[in-house]
Amino acid sequence: MTTQPALDDLFERRITYPDIETQARLARLIGLDEQKSRLTKILALLVNPAGLEDWARHHHPGAQALLDTVLRRPPLVILAGDVGSGKTELAETIGDAVARQERIDITLLPLSLSTRGQGRVGEMTQLLSAAFDYTIAEANRLKSVSGKARGAVILLVDEADALAQSREATQMHHEDRAGVNAFIRGIDRIANGKLPAAVIMCTNRLSSLDPAVRRRAAEVLSFARPSDDQRRFILTSRLESMGIGRVHIDQLVAATGAERGKRDYGFTFSDMTQRLLPSIVLDAYPSRAVEGARAVEVARTIAPTPPFRDGAPA
Ligand SMILES: Nc1ncnc2c1ncn2[C@@H]1O[C@H](COP(=O)(O)OP(=O)(O)OP(=O)(O)O)[C@@H](O)[C@H]1O
Ligand SMILES: [Mg+2]
């Protein structure tokens, strides 16, 4: 006999939106406007399908068949892409935008797989089934018979590579397959119940996801490293007020980009915000002011995080 996982073991840092601190975190994300907007729309429709019907009555009366194909999409969105590019940050904060737009409360249930489900046989499957049971019970409570739900639930499966690896991978253990099946069953249960719930899955390796999981995704949103313009924006918005001028900003943009013959990738968003900017400040602190030429030198000593090559082994 195995025991059911306790609720506290299942989810970490449960967050309820609207939440003012989350709103600020979401606003700090750069270059993700397209992802933000699409994710907000998808989640808002799962919560309030009547919104689309109102829109259609107004603009396209008689378009019911088309509406169905939009509304019947499975409640799964995959955020895929490079390390440190804002996937987790967006997944953890987007609920605030939807809650404000739809004027309801939304609860995020973050299920972290990175440190779990690696032990006893059956653990992953049990964890997933319990997480979906809980999500579905919550969503059922919030569902309303007609029109708009009273609230909604987002189940976040971060670091999903651990879970939904291709069932075709030959080395895959029988138990992993059961985990994938439990996941697919959970998605289908939410869809069939027309519940105000959605699942967001984050992964570095889209290609390693099980095809049956990918097929169920209503959308796959991709995330990349910042472009020259986006790095320039981060640098200017943080360093201009410290007196760093155009010439040094240009050099910093170059120093944080790809370098011919040396590396074909530049800094990630997190390399910029969590490594470079603090290093520049701490280099000057406590005895000197931040200074352009020195900031460029600091940037040159930092090596960007290597990309997670999709398809390559971990
Ligand atoms: N688009 C962005 N704009 C501003 N800051 C960002 C952006 N993306 C990431 N960051 C910064 O990098 C940190 C790490 O981002 P996050 O945890 O969301 O990355 P991730 O895409 O989930 O990476 P991983 O694949 O390694 O889990 C964030 O807390 C934030 O400070
Ligand atoms: Mg992450």
Side-chain angles (χ1 to χ4, degrees):
M1 262 315 280
T2 43
T3 47
Q4 278 294 315
L7 199 56
D8 282 349
D9 292 339
L10 221 46
F11 303 114
E12 39 182 64
R13 294 171 290 108
R14 180 189 169 118
I15 314 174
T16 302
Y17 317 109
D19 171 72
I20 192 94
E21 196 186 313
T22 304
Q23 188 181 30
R25 276 170 64 196
L26 180 60
R28 276 199 294 270
L29 288 173
I30 296 159
L32 298 180
D33 292 347
E34 175 69 20
Q35 288 92 332
K36 270 188 204 177
S37 142
R38 281 165 67 186
L39 194 51
T40 307
K41 282 187 199 181
I42 298 167
L43 296 176
L45 280 184
L46 288 168
V47 178
N48 181 20
L52 193 68
E53 279 153 20
D54 290 345
W55 167 85
R57 252 194 303 283
H58 189 70
H59 294 283
H60 305 284
Q64 193 58 42
L66 177 62
L67 289 197
D68 284 347
T69 64
V70 178
L71 293 175
R72 287 245 186 86
R73 295 203 301 176
L76 170 67
V77 185
I78 297 177
L79 311 189
D82 214 335
V83 293
S85 56
K87 299 181 299 296
T88 300
E89 196 67 5
L90 185 64
E92 287 183 354
T93 56
I94 195 69
D96 184 79
V98 181
R100 283 174 206 277
Q101 180 185 307
E102 298 297 324
R103 298 169 192 280
I104 53 165
D105 281 355
I106 294 187
T107 302
L108 181 79
L109 302 173
L111 178 75
S112 174
L113 290 164
S114 54
T115 54
R116 296 169 209 278
Q118 295 158 349
R120 288 177 292 113
V121 166
E123 198 171 359
M124 176 78 92
T125 310
Q126 212 181 35
L127 179 74
L128 282 166
S129 304
F132 274 101
D133 283 349
Y134 186 82
T135 304
I136 288 165
E138 286 269 292
N140 258 316
R141 249 179 1 92
L142 299 167
K143 186 180 176 176
S144 80
V145 194
S146 64
K148 187 167 171 172
R150 288 186 296 277
V153 192
I154 299 173
L155 175 62
L156 171 58
V157 185
D158 206 348
E159 316 282 340
D161 315 79
L163 149 75
Q165 292 191 354
S166 176
R167 283 184 295 185
E168 284 156 13
T170 45
Q171 74 278 24
M172 196 177 195
H173 191 275
H174 173 73
E175 169 52 26
D176 296 335
R177 243 162 267 210
V180 170
N181 289 335
F183 185 84
I184 291 172
R185 226 171 21 247
I187 298 286
D188 291 346
R189 280 172 70 199
I190 296 177
N192 294 336
K194 295 200 163 60
L195 296 171
V199 180
I200 300 179
M201 192 177 208
C202 302
T203 179
N204 292 126
R205 290 187 296 166
L206 190 57
S207 64
S208 75
L209 285 190
D210 187 273
V213 171
R214 272 178 81 168
R215 180 174 71 69
R216 277 168 176 75
E219 301 245 2
V220 177
L221 302 176
S222 44
F223 291 68
R225 290 183 186 227
S227 63
D228 286 359
D229 283 347
Q230 288 170 337
R231 292 197 315 282
R232 179 179 300 282
F233 178 83
I234 296 171
L235 292 162
T236 311
S237 62
R238 310 296 205 280
L239 295 177
E240 217 171 28
S241 59
M242 298 186 134
I244 295 191
R246 177 68 192 253
V247 172
H248 290 126
I249 295 281
D250 283 349
Q251 291 177 10
L252 282 166
V253 170
T256 53
E259 274 182 60
R260 192 186 304 229
K262 197 169 157 206
R263 58 177 196 235
D264 61 358
Y265 52 90
F267 280 40
T268 66
F269 277 105
S270 58
D271 288 338
M272 297 296 289
T273 59
Q274 297 187 330
R275 296 173 65 206
L276 176 62
L277 293 172
S279 297
I280 290 174
V281 170
L282 292 181
D283 175 67
Y285 173 87
S287 51
R288 286 178 287 111
V290 168
E291 193 259 314
R294 180 66 202 154
V296 175
E297 275 175 46
V298 170
R300 291 192 177 131
T301 65
I302 298 176
T305 310
F308 212 108
R309 306 280 178 194
D310 199 11

